[in-house]
Amino acid sequence: MNRNNRIIYDQTGKIWLQTGEATGDVLEHDAVTELTFIDVEYGSIDYSKQYIESINPVTKEPVLKNIEVVLTDEQKRLQALEKELSMLKEENKNRDSEIVNTAFEVENIKLNKNL
């Protein structure tokens, strides 16, 4: 099947979108009975994490979908190492304070005894 190039333009003739021609196993264009628009406030959507799937025609709000993040094996390994490092830091937090306290006590004893 051959599909025509659909061009969407405004009242002045300015072209806003062209679908381009297509051939092969493609779907026909849907019949358009009405076009409208909404403005989505700048910065209101983090397009690196979400995309606009469609517009709810009743509420005129964008329907957002999360972009699936697929981690590489290297990224998964890095996350595991970061988690392990965080756990080790937490485990050693008390130990570090014990070392500092002991060193402080040693210095106090040295000062008090003039050693």
Side-chain angles (χ1 to χ4, degrees), residues 45-54 62-68:
I45 298 172
D46 184 347
Y47 291 101
S48 68
K49 296 179 181 173
Q50 296 178 311
Y51 67 96
I52 301 173
E53 181 185 54
S54 63
V63 176
L64 302 178
K65 292 291 182 181
N66 291 329
I67 297 172
E68 182 182 352

Side-chain angles (χ1 to χ4, degrees), residues 27-51:
L27 298 173
E28 292 183 33
H29 288 297
D30 293 331
V32 176
T33 59
E34 177 185 347
L35 288 175
T36 189
F37 72 93
I38 64 167
D39 288 324
V40 177
E41 185 178 334
Y42 180 84
S44 64
I45 298 172
D46 184 347
Y47 291 101
S48 68
K49 296 179 181 173
Q50 296 178 311
Y51 67 96

